[in-house]
């Protein structure tokens, strides 16, 4: 992460007892799926050297670690320890002249842009230190940029000194937004709420996934294995097509001008070693057959007359020959990166002499059901239980989009079971039906926190399907928790799956398929919330909606060929067909 080439150094303070957080390891607390320590490290990622002052924790490569002496002896001692660590690694060049960013690891909103603003002000004002200040003008003594010379007094100050007492009199206080720190459980809860997108509209939720998920690494696959994948590199023709001059129609290969003497040797497809054709002669030829040597063109059957072994043309010289490379030459780009490797792409690749494609995907998903009240497929009925009626339809949506789905098994309502399912490898996407609420049996959020997951979405402004969680664990696997009711589960996966595929496979997003409903759309709209409703075409360019059957089953989807995403009351957005 660090190199001596940066224009500044950084000291990240990550010690302290966090007494008001009941002694918790505050820098390790998660906000928006990242440790508070990682938020600080990301903000100073451009530094030449980074020193973390605090106990040993997992850190990126290249980050220096030191500890104040004695531990927990306060921020002044911590800054002194960090400065000593920098001095110990100063090079013979200008390392001592670099300014030092000082940042505490309890600032959930700190960003690299804020650090850049502080550094720019230090350069402009030529003062020894620039500190951040909140909107009320109150300084944040543990967020600022110092000149190395200004840090010297802190190296020798008593450990119980206050940071405030050591600030130079000519320091500049720069207003910076988002300087609030985390001291109490209430602060931590507020930061988590602010960092987690909740109740987003579908378009905004899709945008979050596209922004926060990186594409899978490319792989090279044989054509038949690339179904459901997306081109990571353009499809480039390895051979011209057609690879030879070929007949486009059943008819006659001819040499010279009409009339022609018909010879008895037909030219069949699949053979290149046919006898040459002399001028003034014609030979029967099949569609797709190579023109024999000497032939000039192909004339179709219906444009000639045959009498006494002589063939006479009745058309005006039309040529029904597919010429070599007329569709594309060797080296032509036939499909851009980001194009789905669908049947058409794979067919064209084969015609172009390409046997393997560089692609992302196909996406491998593991699908779990959950809940003690749910009987998985093959399970024995029992009192107070219901059968699993959601996993089959969800699997159909996934496989219909080219995702390779494996059954992950049923998850009982025990925290350890969820933790294992979240952490188990060998899947790009883990889908869990149920446990997305906040009840005593909903353990998915706890499992995600244990796994160090980054929360991407927590709820949608959607009915049904709004109870939904999307997260990513450090290994890169995406976890998608869907509502437990069948229609909620289907709605959630139908709304988000296109964006997940676009993000993870690097697929070019498609324009939405906008529908026109055959009745008053307002009757199907809710105030402030989107809806997913079953729809069926009426044969006249419009669609009908069936409502009122509830979300605990899929009776409303029987006989209907799609789902519609209906915008809320007062929205100008169109009605989008989901599948």
């Amino acid at each position: 992460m660090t190199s001596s080439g940066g224009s500044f150094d950084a000291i990240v303070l990550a010690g302290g007892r966090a007494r008001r957080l009941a002694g918790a390891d505050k820098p390790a607390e998660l906000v928006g799926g990242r440790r508070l320590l990682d938020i600080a490290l990301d903000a100073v990622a451009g530094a030449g050297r980074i020193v973390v002052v605090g106990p040993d924790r997992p850190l990126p490569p290249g980050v220096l670690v030191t500890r104040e002496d004695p531990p927990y002896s306060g921020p002044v001692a911590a800054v002194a320890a960090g400065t000593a660590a920098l001095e110990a690694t100063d090079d013979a060049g200008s390392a001592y002249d670099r300014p030092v960013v000082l940042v505490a690891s309890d600032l959930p909103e700190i960003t690299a842009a804020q650090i850049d603003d502080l550094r720019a002000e230090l350069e402009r004002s030529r003062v020894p230190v620039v500190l951040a200040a909140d909107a009320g003008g109150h300084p944040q003594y543990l967020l600022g940029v110092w000149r190395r010379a200004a840090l010297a007094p802190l190296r020798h100050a008593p450990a119980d000194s206050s940071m405030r007492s050591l600030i130079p009199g000519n320091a500049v206080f720069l207003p910076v937004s988002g300087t609030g720190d985390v001291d109490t459980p209430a602060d931590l809860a507020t930061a988590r709420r602010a960092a987690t997108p909740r109740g987003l509209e579908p378009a905004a939720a899709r945008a979050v996934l596209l922004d926060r998920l990186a594409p899978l690494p490319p792989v090279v696959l044989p054509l038949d294995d690339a179904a459901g994948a997306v081109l990571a590199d353009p499809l480039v023709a390895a051979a011209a097509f057609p690879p030879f001059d070929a007949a486009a129609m059943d008819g006659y290969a001819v040499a010279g001008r009409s009339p022609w003497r018909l010879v008895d040797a037909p030219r069949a497809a699949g053979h290149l070693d046919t006898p040459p054709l002399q001028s003034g002669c014609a030979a029967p030829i099949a569609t797709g057959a190579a023109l024999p040597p000497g032939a000039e063109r192909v004339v179709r059957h219906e444009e000639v007359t045959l009498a006494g072994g002589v063939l006479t043309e009745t058309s005006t010289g039309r040529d029904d020959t597919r010429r070599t490379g007329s569709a594309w030459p060797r080296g032509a780009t036939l499909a851009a990166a980001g194009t789905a490797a669908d049947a058409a792409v794979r067919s064209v690749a084969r015609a172009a002499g390409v046997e393997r494609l560089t692609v992302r995907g196909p996406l491998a998903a593991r699908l779990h059901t959950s809940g003690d009240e749910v009987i998985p497929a093959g399970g024995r009925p029992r009192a107070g239980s219901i059968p699993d009626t959601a996993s089959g339809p969800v699997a159909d949506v996934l496989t219909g989009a080219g995702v390779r789905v494996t059954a992950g098994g049923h998850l009982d309502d025990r925290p350890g079971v969820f933790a294992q399912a979240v952490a188990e490898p060998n899947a790009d996407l883990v889908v869990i039906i149920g446990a997305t609420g906040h009840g005593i049996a909903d353990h998915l959020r706890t499992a995600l926190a244990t796994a160090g997951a980054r929360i991407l979405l927590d709820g949608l402004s959607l009915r049904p399907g709004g109870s939904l969680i999307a997260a990513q664990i450090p290994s890169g696997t995406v976890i998608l928790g869907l509502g437990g009711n069948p229609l909620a589960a289907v709605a959630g996966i139908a709304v988000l799956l296109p964006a997940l595929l676009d993000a993870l496979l690097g697929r070019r997003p498609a324009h939405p398929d906008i529908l026109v409903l055959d009745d008053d759309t307002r009757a199907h709209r809710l105030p402030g919330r989107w809806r997913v409703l079953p729809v069926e075409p009426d044969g006249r360019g419009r669609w009908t909606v069936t409502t009122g059957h509830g979300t605990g089953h899929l009776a409303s989807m029987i006989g209907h060929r799609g789902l519609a995403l209906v915008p809320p009351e007062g929205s100008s957005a169109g009605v989008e067909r989901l599948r």
Side-chain angles (χ1 to χ4, degrees):
M1 169 178 279
T2 63
S3 70
S4 60
S7 60
F8 68 99
D9 294 323
I11 298 173
V12 178
L13 306 182
R17 295 186 184 277
R19 290 184 177 90
R20 286 189 284 176
L21 275 176
D25 185 8
K26 182 164 61 172
E29 292 291 336
L30 296 178
V31 173
R34 293 187 295 167
R35 296 180 304 176
L36 285 167
L37 176 56
D38 293 324
I39 293 173
L41 290 171
D42 288 346
V44 297
R49 293 171 295 173
I50 300 176
V51 179
V52 172
V53 185
D56 287 338
R57 301 183 183 90
L59 293 172
V63 174
L64 306 173
V65 183
T66 190
R67 193 74 197 266
E68 71 273 25
D69 185 20
Y72 307 116
S73 51
V76 172
V79 173
T83 305
L86 288 177
E87 291 178 355
T89 58
D90 281 342
D91 54 34
S94 59
Y96 187 82
D97 296 331
R98 289 196 295 254
V100 177
V101 172
L102 183 64
V103 58
S105 57
D106 62 353
L107 302 171
E109 297 180 66
I110 187 64
T111 66
Q114 293 166 332
I115 299 298
D116 289 344
D117 289 343
L118 292 167
R119 291 172 52 222
E121 180 61 24
L122 185 76
E123 180 67 21
R124 187 195 67 79
S125 61
R126 301 291 181 177
V127 296
V129 59
V130 173
L131 297 177
D134 64 18
H138 303 99
Q140 171 55 272
Y141 295 109
L142 298 183
L143 175 57
V145 185
W146 296 65
R147 301 193 188 277
R148 277 284 291 273
L151 286 173
L154 280 75
R155 289 275 282 115
H156 308 290
D160 59 355
S161 302
S162 69
M163 285 293 299
R164 179 179 181 179
S165 67
L166 297 171
I167 302 299
N170 57 345
V172 168
F173 298 92
L174 181 69
V176 175
S177 61
T179 60
D181 55 10
V182 170
D183 285 327
T184 67
D187 294 337
L188 183 59
T190 298
R192 285 172 170 167
R193 285 194 299 270
T196 302
R198 292 175 179 269
L200 292 179
E201 293 189 351
R206 291 165 173 170
V208 166
L209 297 179
L210 289 169
D211 178 63
R212 298 192 181 185
L213 291 176
L216 298 175
V219 295
V220 179
L221 296 178
L223 295 180
D224 291 340
D225 294 338
V230 171
L231 295 180
D233 291 339
L235 171 60
V236 177
F241 187 85
F244 47 81
D245 289 349
M249 302 284 291
D250 288 341
Y252 300 93
V254 299
R257 294 184 176 183
S258 172
W260 303 280
R261 179 171 57 85
L262 185 63
V263 298
D264 293 332
R267 298 333 192 235
H271 301 278
L272 292 176
D273 54 349
T274 57
L277 196 63
Q278 302 300 319
S279 180
C281 294
I285 192 168
T287 301
L291 263 66
E296 298 173 4
R297 60 189 176 103
V298 172
V299 181
R300 63 181 66 184
H301 281 294
E302 55 267 35
E303 296 184 351
V304 296
T305 59
L306 178 60
V310 175
L311 202 66
T312 302
E313 186 174 14
T314 60
S315 63
T316 56
R318 180 162 54 182
D319 182 7
D320 281 304
T321 305
R322 294 193 183 102
R323 297 295 175 180
T324 303
S326 58
W328 59 76
R330 185 178 185 275
T333 297
L334 304 177
T339 304
D342 57 15
V345 165
R346 301 195 307 275
S347 172
V348 168
R350 185 167 281 112
V354 176
E355 297 180 355
R356 301 171 73 84
L357 296 173
T358 301
V359 297
R360 290 186 172 91
L363 204 67
R366 189 171 68 248
L367 177 60
H368 294 272
T369 53
S370 73
D372 287 349
E373 78 283 8
V374 175
I375 306 169
R380 298 181 61 183
R382 60 184 184 276
S385 61
I386 57 174
D388 164 32
T389 57
S391 64
V394 169
D396 283 352
V397 175
L398 290 167
T399 54
V403 179
R404 308 286 173 85
V405 182
T406 58
H410 186 73
L411 307 180
D412 297 332
D413 289 330
R414 291 180 289 130
V417 174
F418 279 83
Q420 182 177 355
V422 166
E424 186 177 338
N426 303 324
D428 305 310
L429 173 67
V430 175
V431 180
I432 298 175
I433 300 173
T436 59
H438 297 270
I440 59 173
D442 295 323
H443 301 298
L444 181 53
R445 285 182 175 79
T446 301
L448 292 172
T450 301
R454 178 172 59 125
I455 303 298
L456 305 171
L457 300 170
D458 192 350
L460 292 182
S461 175
L462 185 69
R463 179 179 178 183
S467 179
L468 178 150
I469 304 172
Q472 188 174 39
I473 61 176
S475 67
T477 297
V478 175
I479 313 296
L480 180 61
L482 301 173
N485 285 329
L487 191 54
V490 170
I493 193 69
V495 168
L496 290 189
L497 183 58
L500 279 172
L501 294 176
D502 292 344
L504 294 176
L505 302 184
R507 188 177 67 178
R508 291 179 297 175
H511 294 295
D513 186 3
I514 302 300
L515 308 180
V516 177
L517 300 183
D518 69 351
D519 50 9
D520 188 354
T521 306
R522 290 173 297 181
H524 305 298
R525 299 192 180 204
L526 296 174
R529 184 172 293 187
W530 292 68
R531 300 185 75 182
V532 173
L533 299 170
V535 290
E536 176 71 8
D538 66 0
R540 301 184 302 275
R542 294 175 177 264
W543 294 70
T544 61
V545 174
T546 295
T547 60
H549 292 293
T551 63
H553 50 75
L554 299 183
S556 61
M557 292 181 63
I558 294 176
H560 285 67
R561 284 179 278 177
L563 292 173
L565 181 61
V566 180
E569 185 178 87
S571 172
S572 61
V575 177
E576 178 185 343
R577 186 186 181 192
L578 294 175
R579 70 183 185 106

